[in-house]
Amino acid sequence: MIWLTILLMTVIVFFSRYLFLEPAIPLRLNQTARRLLRYSSPAVLTAIWGPIVFAPEQTFWPSLENPYLIGAVVTGLLIWKTGNVLLTIGVSMAVFLFYNLVAVDFLFH
């Protein structure tokens, strides 16, 4: 049953992409639909990272003890100031790891 579900979802995703990417198929979206779809990626990404950052323990946790929140703030500031994605990923992961393993114990306990 699981394999059938995976296969069916693969087929659905493939054909939903294929319809819009194949030049031989004369299916085009109007300008309003294209404009609305530009907001789908940021909305989906926010729905993914929002709960991870603000509620990692299944409850709202906006404090300096939350390493996810500190990592997200550092990531946002770095990408805004530098624009370098690779640097931002590396430094943000290092800050998150340091803060999660070392800093929280010394600062708050």
Side-chain angles (χ1 to χ4, degrees), residues 16-17 20 27-44:
S16 69
R17 304 296 193 269
F20 295 109
L27 179 63
R28 300 290 174 254
L29 294 175
N30 63 20
Q31 192 63 25
T32 303
R34 280 193 226 155
R35 188 168 31 95
L36 289 173
L37 285 174
R38 281 191 297 180
Y39 297 106
S40 65
S41 295
V44 169

Side-chain angles (χ1 to χ4, degrees), residues 3-103:
W3 284 106
L4 178 63
T5 304
I6 292 172
L7 181 64
L8 289 174
M9 292 305 295
T10 303
V11 169
I12 290 169
V13 168
F14 174 77
F15 282 111
S16 69
R17 304 296 193 269
Y18 182 76
L19 287 174
F20 295 109
L21 296 176
E22 175 58 39
I25 298 175
L27 179 63
R28 300 290 174 254
L29 294 175
N30 63 20
Q31 192 63 25
T32 303
R34 280 193 226 155
R35 188 168 31 95
L36 289 173
L37 285 174
R38 281 191 297 180
Y39 297 106
S40 65
S41 295
V44 169
L45 288 174
T46 302
I48 292 170
W49 69 260
I52 294 170
V53 169
F54 294 110
E57 302 293 327
Q58 309 305 320
T59 58
F60 187 59
W61 188 23
S63 78
L64 292 176
E65 291 184 47
N66 183 350
Y68 296 94
L69 182 60
I70 301 302
V73 169
V74 168
T75 301
L77 290 173
L78 275 173
I79 200 66
W80 176 53
K81 284 297 193 182
T82 67
N84 187 335
V85 175
L86 189 58
L87 174 72
T88 300
I89 291 171
V91 172
S92 298
M93 287 173 56
V95 166
F96 175 78
L97 183 65
F98 173 77
Y99 197 83
N100 200 19
L101 296 178
V102 178

